[in-house]
Amino acid sequence: MSPASATSPTGRDAEATRRRLLAAATEEFAAYGIAGARVDRIATAARSNKAQIYHYFGSKDGLFDAVFDAMCRETLDAVPIDPDDLPEYAGRLHDSYRARPWVQRLATWYRLERAGSGEQLAVVRDSYAAKIEAVAAAQRAGRLTDRFEAAELLGLVLHLSGFWSTQTPELDARLDTVNDAHRRLLVVDAVAALIA
């Protein structure tokens, strides 16, 4: 794209349409998953049309991939891993999930509807590889326990960081007196105990 077209009304309109479609699709996929999402509802919510969805994203699956990719990149930028302070990393991830509840819903749909497909999104694959290497490097340097393999340790930290946002309503009801600050503290303390 030339610099002129990037700033032309058509270029701005196209990017604005794409952003509206991604925002509407994020809400739709978080609520209904891939199979249950409807492109007509997404198009209406985005003040666009179905043809634009297929033009920009190729298919409903392509649109979900774009939503998931954007969500992952936003999380990676907002919450970079710190292998020298995994408890606080888990706390920051917890904060991110509280601020953006759709993240865990999209991740759940991704696991449910893409399990066993053999497809891997590059952003997810590459971010896990980088995080695992960061943890492994800290282990090799003696700054982090090697009680667990790097990938296992990362998985445990990620699971603990999302603990509160993936609970059933029944457990939440039993813990309804636990405030957000205490929930975060439990996540941080659990990861600290894990790596002690």
Side-chain angles (χ1 to χ4, degrees):
M1 178 185 308
S2 72
S5 64
T7 59
S8 72
T10 303
R12 283 195 306 268
D13 292 347
E15 187 53 36
T17 299
R18 191 175 190 285
R19 281 194 309 271
R20 286 195 317 273
L21 286 168
L22 285 172
T26 297
E27 289 187 25
E28 180 77 7
F29 287 127
Y32 302 105
I34 303 169
R38 297 290 173 256
V39 292
D40 55 336
R41 287 193 302 242
I42 295 169
T44 299
R47 300 180 323 275
S48 186
N49 58 61
K50 292 193 288 189
Q52 291 296 324
I53 291 172
Y54 297 111
H55 170 73
Y56 289 114
F57 306 103
S59 65
K60 183 169 70 166
D61 282 350
L63 177 57
F64 179 85
D65 290 349
V67 164
F68 204 79
D69 183 275
M71 178 201 71
C72 290
R73 290 180 193 283
E74 184 177 318
T75 302
L76 289 169
D77 290 344
V79 191
I81 191 166
D82 181 357
D84 293 319
D85 193 355
L86 287 179
E88 183 55 28
Y89 169 65
R92 288 184 291 115
L93 274 175
H94 162 81
D95 297 343
S96 175
Y97 298 148
R98 296 289 294 159
R100 302 178 315 139
W102 63 88
V103 169
Q104 289 290 13
R105 291 196 299 270
L106 287 171
T108 298
W109 286 117
Y110 181 75
R111 285 189 304 272
L112 288 171
E113 298 190 66
R114 291 287 175 84
S117 70
E119 296 177 33
Q120 292 186 348
L121 292 179
V123 66
V124 178
R125 182 192 63 233
D126 296 348
S127 72
Y128 278 134
K131 289 174 187 173
I132 291 166
E133 178 49 37
V135 169
Q139 288 175 320
R140 287 191 300 271
R143 300 188 318 268
L144 193 56
T145 180
D146 60 0
R147 178 178 174 200
F148 305 99
E149 294 292 326
E152 296 168 342
L153 180 55
L154 176 65
L156 290 167
V157 170
L158 295 176
H159 183 74
L160 287 168
S161 70
F163 175 75
W164 294 107
S165 56
T166 58
Q167 288 311 309
T168 63
E170 293 80 6
L171 181 58
D172 272 346
R174 302 289 295 207
L175 298 166
D176 66 349
T177 60
V178 178
N179 65 32
D180 285 344
H182 188 68
R183 288 177 184 227
R184 186 188 200 279
L185 181 61
L186 287 173
V187 166
V188 170
D189 285 352
V191 173
L194 179 70
I195 63 173

Short mmCIF file of all heavy atoms in Angstrom, two decimals, residues 30-73:
data_model
loop_
_atom_site.label_atom_id
_atom_site.label_comp_id
_atom_site.label_asym_id
_atom_site.label_seq_id
_atom_site.Cartn_x
_atom_site.Cartn_y
_atom_site.Cartn_z
N ALA A 30 -17.16 -14.79 21.59
CA ALA A 30 -17.09 -15.00 23.04
C ALA A 30 -18.41 -15.54 23.56
O ALA A 30 -18.44 -16.40 24.45
CB ALA A 30 -16.71 -13.72 23.76
N ALA A 31 -19.50 -15.07 23.01
CA ALA A 31 -20.83 -15.50 23.48
C ALA A 31 -21.25 -16.85 22.91
O ALA A 31 -21.85 -17.65 23.62
CB ALA A 31 -21.87 -14.44 23.10
N TYR A 32 -20.93 -17.12 21.65
CA TYR A 32 -21.50 -18.29 20.96
C TYR A 32 -20.50 -19.30 20.44
O TYR A 32 -20.90 -20.35 19.92
CB TYR A 32 -22.37 -17.82 19.79
CG TYR A 32 -23.49 -16.91 20.21
CD1 TYR A 32 -23.42 -15.54 19.97
CD2 TYR A 32 -24.62 -17.40 20.85
CE1 TYR A 32 -24.45 -14.70 20.36
CE2 TYR A 32 -25.65 -16.57 21.24
CZ TYR A 32 -25.55 -15.22 20.99
OH TYR A 32 -26.57 -14.38 21.38
N GLY A 33 -19.21 -19.02 20.50
CA GLY A 33 -18.23 -19.92 19.93
C GLY A 33 -18.18 -19.79 18.42
O GLY A 33 -18.84 -18.95 17.82
N ILE A 34 -17.39 -20.65 17.81
CA ILE A 34 -17.24 -20.59 16.36
C ILE A 34 -18.49 -21.12 15.67
O ILE A 34 -19.06 -20.47 14.80
CB ILE A 34 -16.00 -21.39 15.90
CG1 ILE A 34 -14.74 -20.87 16.58
CG2 ILE A 34 -15.85 -21.31 14.37
CD1 ILE A 34 -13.52 -21.76 16.39
N ALA A 35 -18.94 -22.29 16.08
CA ALA A 35 -20.10 -22.91 15.42
C ALA A 35 -21.37 -22.09 15.63
O ALA A 35 -22.19 -21.97 14.72
CB ALA A 35 -20.30 -24.33 15.93
N GLY A 36 -21.55 -21.53 16.81
CA GLY A 36 -22.78 -20.80 17.11
C GLY A 36 -22.80 -19.37 16.63
O GLY A 36 -23.87 -18.75 16.55
N ALA A 37 -21.65 -18.81 16.32
CA ALA A 37 -21.59 -17.42 15.86
C ALA A 37 -22.26 -17.29 14.50
O ALA A 37 -22.20 -18.21 13.67
CB ALA A 37 -20.15 -16.95 15.79
N ARG A 38 -22.88 -16.15 14.26
CA ARG A 38 -23.55 -15.90 12.99
C ARG A 38 -22.95 -14.67 12.32
O ARG A 38 -22.89 -13.60 12.92
CB ARG A 38 -25.05 -15.68 13.20
CG ARG A 38 -25.76 -16.89 13.78
CD ARG A 38 -25.83 -18.02 12.74
NE ARG A 38 -26.36 -19.24 13.30
CZ ARG A 38 -25.65 -20.30 13.63
NH1 ARG A 38 -24.34 -20.31 13.45
NH2 ARG A 38 -26.22 -21.37 14.12
N VAL A 39 -22.52 -14.83 11.06
CA VAL A 39 -21.89 -13.72 10.37
C VAL A 39 -22.87 -12.58 10.13
O VAL A 39 -22.46 -11.41 10.12
CB VAL A 39 -21.22 -14.16 9.04
CG1 VAL A 39 -20.02 -15.05 9.31
CG2 VAL A 39 -22.20 -14.83 8.11
N ASP A 40 -24.16 -12.88 9.99
CA ASP A 40 -25.13 -11.80 9.80
C ASP A 40 -25.22 -10.92 11.05
O ASP A 40 -25.32 -9.69 10.95
CB ASP A 40 -26.49 -12.32 9.37
CG ASP A 40 -27.07 -13.36 10.32
OD1 ASP A 40 -26.31 -14.03 11.04
OD2 ASP A 40 -28.32 -13.51 10.32
N ARG A 41 -25.17 -11.53 12.23
CA ARG A 41 -25.20 -10.73 13.47
C ARG A 41 -23.93 -9.89 13.59
O ARG A 41 -23.97 -8.74 14.04
CB ARG A 41 -25.35 -11.62 14.70
CG ARG A 41 -26.74 -12.21 14.87
CD ARG A 41 -26.94 -12.83 16.24
NE ARG A 41 -25.99 -13.87 16.56
CZ ARG A 41 -26.33 -15.15 16.80
NH1 ARG A 41 -27.59 -15.54 16.72
NH2 ARG A 41 -25.40 -16.03 17.12
N ILE A 42 -22.79 -10.49 13.24
CA ILE A 42 -21.52 -9.76 13.29
C ILE A 42 -21.57 -8.56 12.34
O ILE A 42 -21.21 -7.44 12.72
CB ILE A 42 -20.33 -10.69 12.96
CG1 ILE A 42 -20.19 -11.77 14.04
CG2 ILE A 42 -19.05 -9.88 12.80
CD1 ILE A 42 -19.23 -12.88 13.67
N ALA A 43 -22.02 -8.80 11.13
CA ALA A 43 -22.08 -7.73 10.14
C ALA A 43 -23.01 -6.61 10.61
O ALA A 43 -22.67 -5.42 10.50
CB ALA A 43 -22.55 -8.29 8.80
N THR A 44 -24.16 -6.97 11.15
CA THR A 44 -25.11 -5.96 11.63
C THR A 44 -24.51 -5.15 12.78
O THR A 44 -24.57 -3.92 12.80
CB THR A 44 -26.42 -6.63 12.09
OG1 THR A 44 -27.01 -7.30 10.96
CG2 THR A 44 -27.40 -5.62 12.65
N ALA A 45 -23.90 -5.84 13.75
CA ALA A 45 -23.30 -5.15 14.89
C ALA A 45 -22.16 -4.23 14.45
O ALA A 45 -21.92 -3.19 15.08
CB ALA A 45 -22.79 -6.16 15.91
N ALA A 46 -21.48 -4.60 13.38
CA ALA A 46 -20.35 -3.81 12.89
C ALA A 46 -20.79 -2.73 11.89
O ALA A 46 -19.93 -2.03 11.34
CB ALA A 46 -19.32 -4.72 12.23
N ARG A 47 -22.09 -2.63 11.63
CA ARG A 47 -22.60 -1.70 10.63
C ARG A 47 -21.92 -1.94 9.28
O ARG A 47 -21.45 -1.02 8.62
CB ARG A 47 -22.43 -0.25 11.09
CG ARG A 47 -23.15 0.08 12.36
CD ARG A 47 -23.00 1.51 12.84
NE ARG A 47 -21.72 2.16 12.63
CZ ARG A 47 -20.67 2.07 13.45
NH1 ARG A 47 -20.74 1.33 14.53
NH2 ARG A 47 -19.55 2.72 13.19
N SER A 48 -21.88 -3.23 8.91
CA SER A 48 -21.23 -3.63 7.67
C SER A 48 -22.12 -4.67 7.00
O SER A 48 -23.33 -4.67 7.21
CB SER A 48 -19.85 -4.21 7.99
OG SER A 48 -19.14 -4.48 6.82
N ASN A 49 -21.52 -5.54 6.20
CA ASN A 49 -22.29 -6.61 5.56
C ASN A 49 -21.43 -7.87 5.49
O ASN A 49 -20.22 -7.83 5.68
CB ASN A 49 -22.78 -6.18 4.17
CG ASN A 49 -21.64 -5.79 3.26
OD1 ASN A 49 -20.76 -6.60 2.97
ND2 ASN A 49 -21.63 -4.54 2.81
N LYS A 50 -22.11 -8.99 5.22
CA LYS A 50 -21.40 -10.27 5.21
C LYS A 50 -20.31 -10.31 4.15
O LYS A 50 -19.27 -10.93 4.35
CB LYS A 50 -22.39 -11.42 4.98
CG LYS A 50 -23.32 -11.64 6.15
CD LYS A 50 -24.08 -12.95 6.05
CE LYS A 50 -25.12 -12.93 4.98
NZ LYS A 50 -25.99 -14.12 5.02
N ALA A 51 -20.52 -9.63 3.03
CA ALA A 51 -19.52 -9.64 1.97
C ALA A 51 -18.19 -9.06 2.47
O ALA A 51 -17.12 -9.54 2.08
CB ALA A 51 -20.02 -8.84 0.77
N GLN A 52 -18.25 -8.07 3.34
CA GLN A 52 -17.03 -7.48 3.88
C GLN A 52 -16.28 -8.49 4.76
O GLN A 52 -15.05 -8.52 4.77
CB GLN A 52 -17.35 -6.22 4.69
CG GLN A 52 -17.82 -5.06 3.85
CD GLN A 52 -16.75 -4.59 2.88
OE1 GLN A 52 -15.56 -4.59 3.19
NE2 GLN A 52 -17.17 -4.19 1.69
N ILE A 53 -17.02 -9.30 5.51
CA ILE A 53 -16.38 -10.33 6.34
C ILE A 53 -15.58 -11.27 5.46
O ILE A 53 -14.41 -11.56 5.73
CB ILE A 53 -17.43 -11.10 7.16
CG1 ILE A 53 -18.03 -10.16 8.22
CG2 ILE A 53 -16.82 -12.34 7.81
CD1 ILE A 53 -19.20 -10.74 8.98
N TYR A 54 -16.21 -11.74 4.38
CA TYR A 54 -15.51 -12.67 3.49
C TYR A 54 -14.38 -11.98 2.73
O TYR A 54 -13.35 -12.59 2.46
CB TYR A 54 -16.51 -13.34 2.55
CG TYR A 54 -17.51 -14.17 3.31
CD1 TYR A 54 -18.84 -13.81 3.40
CD2 TYR A 54 -17.09 -15.30 4.01
CE1 TYR A 54 -19.74 -14.55 4.14
CE2 TYR A 54 -17.98 -16.06 4.76
CZ TYR A 54 -19.30 -15.68 4.82
OH TYR A 54 -20.19 -16.41 5.56
N HIS A 55 -14.57 -10.69 2.43
CA HIS A 55 -13.51 -9.95 1.75
C HIS A 55 -12.27 -9.82 2.63
O HIS A 55 -11.15 -10.06 2.17
CB HIS A 55 -14.03 -8.56 1.36
CG HIS A 55 -12.96 -7.63 0.87
ND1 HIS A 55 -12.37 -7.76 -0.37
CD2 HIS A 55 -12.35 -6.57 1.47
CE1 HIS A 55 -11.45 -6.82 -0.52
NE2 HIS A 55 -11.43 -6.08 0.58
N TYR A 56 -12.45 -9.43 3.88
CA TYR A 56 -11.31 -9.20 4.77
C TYR A 56 -10.74 -10.47 5.38
O TYR A 56 -9.54 -10.56 5.63
CB TYR A 56 -11.69 -8.25 5.90
CG TYR A 56 -11.90 -6.83 5.46
CD1 TYR A 56 -13.15 -6.23 5.53
CD2 TYR A 56 -10.84 -6.07 4.95
CE1 TYR A 56 -13.34 -4.93 5.13
CE2 TYR A 56 -11.02 -4.77 4.54
CZ TYR A 56 -12.28 -4.20 4.63
OH TYR A 56 -12.46 -2.91 4.22
N PHE A 57 -11.60 -11.46 5.66
CA PHE A 57 -11.16 -12.60 6.46
C PHE A 57 -11.33 -13.96 5.78
O PHE A 57 -10.87 -14.95 6.31
CB PHE A 57 -11.90 -12.60 7.81
CG PHE A 57 -11.75 -11.29 8.54
CD1 PHE A 57 -12.79 -10.38 8.56
CD2 PHE A 57 -10.56 -10.97 9.17
CE1 PHE A 57 -12.65 -9.16 9.21
CE2 PHE A 57 -10.41 -9.77 9.83
CZ PHE A 57 -11.47 -8.84 9.85
N GLY A 58 -11.98 -14.00 4.64
CA GLY A 58 -12.09 -15.24 3.87
C GLY A 58 -13.22 -16.15 4.29
O GLY A 58 -13.87 -16.75 3.45
N SER A 59 -13.46 -16.27 5.58
CA SER A 59 -14.50 -17.19 6.09
C SER A 59 -14.76 -16.85 7.55
O SER A 59 -14.05 -16.05 8.16
CB SER A 59 -14.01 -18.64 5.98
OG SER A 59 -12.89 -18.84 6.85
N LYS A 60 -15.78 -17.49 8.10
CA LYS A 60 -16.05 -17.30 9.52
C LYS A 60 -14.88 -17.82 10.35
O LYS A 60 -14.48 -17.20 11.33
CB LYS A 60 -17.36 -18.01 9.92
CG LYS A 60 -17.72 -17.79 11.37
CD LYS A 60 -19.13 -18.25 11.71
CE LYS A 60 -19.29 -19.73 11.68
NZ LYS A 60 -20.54 -20.18 12.32
N ASP A 61 -14.31 -18.95 9.97
CA ASP A 61 -13.13 -19.47 10.68
C ASP A 61 -11.95 -18.49 10.58
O ASP A 61 -11.21 -18.29 11.54
CB ASP A 61 -12.71 -20.83 10.14
CG ASP A 61 -13.59 -21.96 10.65
OD1 ASP A 61 -14.41 -21.73 11.57
OD2 ASP A 61 -13.46 -23.08 10.12
N GLY A 62 -11.78 -17.91 9.42
CA GLY A 62 -10.72 -16.92 9.25
C GLY A 62 -10.94 -15.69 10.13
O GLY A 62 -9.98 -15.12 10.67
N LEU A 63 -12.20 -15.31 10.29
CA LEU A 63 -12.52 -14.18 11.16
C LEU A 63 -12.22 -14.55 12.62
O LEU A 63 -11.64 -13.75 13.36
CB LEU A 63 -13.99 -13.80 11.00
CG LEU A 63 -14.52 -12.68 11.90
CD1 LEU A 63 -13.70 -11.40 11.75
CD2 LEU A 63 -15.99 -12.42 11.59
N PHE A 64 -12.58 -15.76 13.04
CA PHE A 64 -12.25 -16.19 14.40
C PHE A 64 -10.74 -16.18 14.61
O PHE A 64 -10.26 -15.71 15.63
CB PHE A 64 -12.81 -17.58 14.70
CG PHE A 64 -12.46 -18.04 16.10
CD1 PHE A 64 -13.24 -17.67 17.18
CD2 PHE A 64 -11.33 -18.80 16.33
CE1 PHE A 64 -12.91 -18.06 18.47
CE2 PHE A 64 -10.98 -19.20 17.62
CZ PHE A 64 -11.78 -18.83 18.70
N ASP A 65 -10.00 -16.70 13.63
CA ASP A 65 -8.54 -16.70 13.75
C ASP A 65 -7.99 -15.29 13.90
O ASP A 65 -7.08 -15.05 14.69
CB ASP A 65 -7.90 -17.39 12.54
CG ASP A 65 -8.14 -18.89 12.52
OD1 ASP A 65 -8.61 -19.44 13.53
OD2 ASP A 65 -7.85 -19.51 11.47
N ALA A 66 -8.56 -14.34 13.16
CA ALA A 66 -8.11 -12.95 13.25
C ALA A 66 -8.43 -12.37 14.63
O ALA A 66 -7.61 -11.65 15.22
CB ALA A 66 -8.76 -12.10 12.16
N VAL A 67 -9.60 -12.69 15.16
CA VAL A 67 -9.98 -12.24 16.51
C VAL A 67 -9.03 -12.84 17.54
O VAL A 67 -8.52 -12.14 18.42
CB VAL A 67 -11.44 -12.64 16.82
CG1 VAL A 67 -11.75 -12.53 18.31
CG2 VAL A 67 -12.41 -11.77 16.02
N PHE A 68 -8.79 -14.13 17.44
CA PHE A 68 -7.93 -14.81 18.42
C PHE A 68 -6.50 -14.31 18.32
O PHE A 68 -5.84 -14.09 19.33
CB PHE A 68 -8.00 -16.33 18.21
CG PHE A 68 -7.66 -17.11 19.44
CD1 PHE A 68 -8.59 -17.28 20.45
CD2 PHE A 68 -6.42 -17.69 19.59
CE1 PHE A 68 -8.28 -18.00 21.60
CE2 PHE A 68 -6.09 -18.41 20.73
CZ PHE A 68 -7.03 -18.57 21.73
N ASP A 69 -6.03 -14.10 17.12
CA ASP A 69 -4.68 -13.57 16.89
C ASP A 69 -4.55 -12.19 17.54
O ASP A 69 -3.58 -11.92 18.26
CB ASP A 69 -4.40 -13.49 15.39
CG ASP A 69 -3.00 -13.02 15.08
OD1 ASP A 69 -2.79 -11.79 15.04
OD2 ASP A 69 -2.12 -13.87 14.87
N ALA A 70 -5.52 -11.31 17.30
CA ALA A 70 -5.48 -9.96 17.87
C ALA A 70 -5.52 -10.01 19.40
O ALA A 70 -4.79 -9.27 20.06
CB ALA A 70 -6.64 -9.13 17.33
N MET A 71 -6.35 -10.88 19.94
CA MET A 71 -6.45 -11.02 21.39
C MET A 71 -5.12 -11.48 21.98
O MET A 71 -4.65 -10.95 22.99
CB MET A 71 -7.56 -12.00 21.75
CG MET A 71 -7.71 -12.24 23.24
SD MET A 71 -8.55 -13.80 23.57
CE MET A 71 -7.31 -14.99 23.11
N CYS A 72 -4.50 -12.47 21.34
CA CYS A 72 -3.22 -12.98 21.82
C CYS A 72 -2.14 -11.91 21.76
O CYS A 72 -1.37 -11.73 22.71
CB CYS A 72 -2.79 -14.20 21.01
SG CYS A 72 -3.79 -15.66 21.32
N ARG A 73 -2.08 -11.18 20.67
CA ARG A 73 -1.06 -10.13 20.53
C ARG A 73 -1.26 -9.03 21.57
O ARG A 73 -0.30 -8.53 22.15
CB ARG A 73 -1.08 -9.56 19.12
CG ARG A 73 -0.56 -10.53 18.08
CD ARG A 73 -0.58 -9.95 16.67
NE ARG A 73 -0.36 -11.00 15.71
CZ ARG A 73 0.83 -11.55 15.44
NH1 ARG A 73 1.91 -11.13 16.08
NH2 ARG A 73 0.94 -12.50 14.54
#
